[in-house]
């Protein structure tokens, strides 16, 4: 775990540890927002460059919340890139999920894979406001106060956005399941 006090004293000596600790998380977050691996990689790298520049020129104290701050930078980078380039978002498999050799049967794996694709597509179809809140809270596992800090919204608003986003996800998944079933009369 990156020590913010050490980071404040020695940015150059501590920054590599910060990158190693957060690179996969920030890449996955950017990937889920952009739907494009190359764009996500560029966004995560740009976020680290911005973080480094800011840390070199600003003092941090013991109250500094590193994790939400890094997610906020990444979110801003992604928003700017999407706004400038209008990168199409495509549903992607969740990053870092692989079946193990001793895992479930092929049928169970296929069903789980299909469910994951449906969920990913439904998540990508959410309005940006809800998608960001749901991703931060339930995929990246940030607390509501951390997600609120990242999104620069009040905690109550983030809770509402998460609730509405989850309701829309449930409805979309239910519609997909009903639409995909064969009804015999």
């Amino acid at each position: 775990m990156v020590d913010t006090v050490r980071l404040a004293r020695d940015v150059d000596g501590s920054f590599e540890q910060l990158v190693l600790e957060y690179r996969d998380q920030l890449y996955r977050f950017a990937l889920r927002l952009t739907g494009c691996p190359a764009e996500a990689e560029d966004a995560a790298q740009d976020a680290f460059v911005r973080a480094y520049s800011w840390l070199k020129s600003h003092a941090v104290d013991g109250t500094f919340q590193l994790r939400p701050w890094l997610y906020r930078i990444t979110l801003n980078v992604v928003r700017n890139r999407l706004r400038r380039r209008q990168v199409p978002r495509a549903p992607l498999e969740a990053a870092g999920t692989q079946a193990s050799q001793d895992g479930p049967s092929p049928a169970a794996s296929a069903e789980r894979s299909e469910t994951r694709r449906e969920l990913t597509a439904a998540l990508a179809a959410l309005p940006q406001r809800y998608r960001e809140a749901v991703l931060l809270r339930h995929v990246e596992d940030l607390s509501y106060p951390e997600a609120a800090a990242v999104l620069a919204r009040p905690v109550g608003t983030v809770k509402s956005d998460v609730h509405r986003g989850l309701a829309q996800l449930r409805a979309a998944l239910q519609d997909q399941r009903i639409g995909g079933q064969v009804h015999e009369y």
Side-chain angles (χ1 to χ4, degrees):
M1 185 120 202
V2 176
D3 179 15
T4 55
V5 174
R6 182 170 173 246
L7 184 63
R9 280 184 288 174
D10 183 20
V11 174
D12 292 327
S14 304
F15 198 75
E16 182 178 357
Q17 181 184 356
L18 181 141
V19 171
L20 292 174
E21 185 171 332
Y22 287 100
R23 70 178 171 199
D24 292 341
Q25 294 170 43
L26 297 183
Y27 169 77
R28 280 191 313 267
F29 179 58
L31 180 60
R32 288 181 178 114
L33 291 171
T34 65
C36 175
E39 190 70 23
E41 188 174 325
D42 289 346
Q45 288 177 3
D46 194 16
F48 282 120
V49 168
R50 290 176 188 214
Y52 179 81
S53 296
W54 190 89
L55 288 168
K56 285 296 278 184
S57 62
H58 293 79
V60 296
D61 60 12
T63 63
F64 182 70
Q65 294 184 342
L66 182 64
R67 184 175 182 217
W69 178 72
L70 288 170
Y71 275 94
R72 176 74 182 166
I73 293 170
T74 305
L75 178 63
N76 286 337
V77 168
V78 168
R79 284 177 175 170
N80 289 339
R81 288 174 172 274
L82 290 174
R83 197 173 14 254
R84 268 184 285 156
R85 296 187 186 150
Q86 292 299 308
V87 175
R89 287 182 293 115
L92 293 173
E93 287 294 316
T97 56
Q98 297 179 354
S100 69
Q101 295 283 353
D102 302 326
S105 70
S109 293
E111 184 176 329
R112 196 172 30 238
S113 180
E114 179 62 27
T115 301
R116 189 178 304 122
R117 274 192 292 279
E118 291 171 354
L119 180 59
T120 302
L123 187 59
L126 284 178
Q128 181 178 349
R129 175 182 194 95
Y130 300 154
R131 185 176 61 252
E132 291 169 353
V134 169
L135 282 172
L136 288 168
R137 179 65 188 108
H138 290 289
V139 178
E140 299 302 326
D141 202 30
L142 270 68
S143 68
Y144 280 110
E146 288 175 327
V150 171
L151 296 169
R153 297 180 196 147
V155 173
T157 302
V158 172
K159 287 181 179 182
S160 175
D161 290 346
V162 168
H163 177 75
R164 289 179 178 148
L166 291 175
Q168 286 186 15
L169 279 175
R170 279 188 210 100
L173 291 173
Q174 186 175 10
D175 288 347
Q176 286 177 0
R177 298 243 162 91
I178 290 172
Q181 293 177 354
V182 175
H183 299 286
E184 293 183 26
Y185 295 105

